[in-house]
Amino acid sequence: TATRARSQMAQRVQKIAAHLTQADQAKMSASAKPMITTHVLDTALGKPAAGVPLLLEFLAQGSTWQTISKGVTNDDGRCFTLMDPGQGERMGAQRYRLSFEVETYAKRTGQDIFFPLAQIVFDVKDSAAHYHVPLLLSPYSYSTYRGS
């Protein structure tokens, strides 16, 4: 019937509109993301590590570490404030170091730890890309990977 056909057409149009809106939002959020972000998960407690102090540096002229910014993980264990959107493209491809003051967090949560400081050194090859550098933390180990 004509009514049924119109209803099906309206549903398809709504789905397409929703998809286009999601795609536009994804493009906008990707362009608004800073080049380097992080997320700290406490695997011993099974939750995000909130309040971890961070330091982001770059290797200047191949010999000296220079501070870009300092930050702290939020209640979800994430930090999006280490770089402004577009700052990574201006800085270019180079070597970066992300330091996590794990001891501060461990004392606050009553945990005994072996590594008071976790440092991750990584190379950015494409300064237009997003680099998410998570830290998985436990009292006697830590690990990382390139996230998305």
Side-chain angles (χ1 to χ4, degrees):
T1 67
T3 304
R4 184 171 179 221
R6 280 193 297 268
S7 175
Q8 289 175 338
M9 179 65 80
Q11 287 175 351
R12 281 183 270 194
V13 168
Q14 285 177 343
K15 285 182 183 179
I16 291 169
H19 174 73
L20 292 174
T21 302
Q22 289 171 356
D24 289 340
Q25 287 174 351
K27 284 180 193 174
M28 286 178 6
S29 64
S31 66
K33 278 185 186 176
M35 182 177 75
I36 297 171
T37 60
T38 191
H39 188 193
V40 184
L41 296 170
D42 184 330
T43 60
L45 298 179
K47 64 181 187 176
V52 177
L54 308 165
L55 175 66
L56 179 63
E57 303 166 288
F58 72 99
L59 191 59
Q61 291 132 12
S63 63
T64 306
W65 289 106
Q66 291 192 357
T67 299
I68 296 171
S69 67
K70 294 179 180 183
V72 178
T73 57
N74 64 17
D75 289 343
D76 194 34
R78 298 176 185 274
C79 186
F80 300 107
T81 60
L82 294 171
M83 290 184 127
D84 294 326
Q87 183 179 4
E89 288 187 44
R90 292 189 301 276
M91 293 192 66
Q94 56 189 312
R95 183 160 291 172
Y96 291 86
R97 179 168 67 187
L98 189 52
S99 300
F100 302 81
E101 294 180 29
V102 177
E103 184 174 42
T104 303
Y105 170 76
K107 284 180 182 177
R108 195 174 59 260
T109 58
Q111 296 183 73
D112 185 30
I113 56 144
F114 184 70
F115 298 103
L117 179 70
Q119 291 186 317
I120 303 168
V121 177
F122 56 99
D123 290 330
V124 166
K125 304 290 185 188
D126 177 4
S127 62
H130 175 242
Y131 293 82
H132 185 64
V133 185
L135 179 71
L136 303 177
L137 182 62
S138 70
Y140 298 100
S141 68
Y142 66 88
S143 63
T144 189
Y145 58 94
R146 178 167 179 199
S148 56

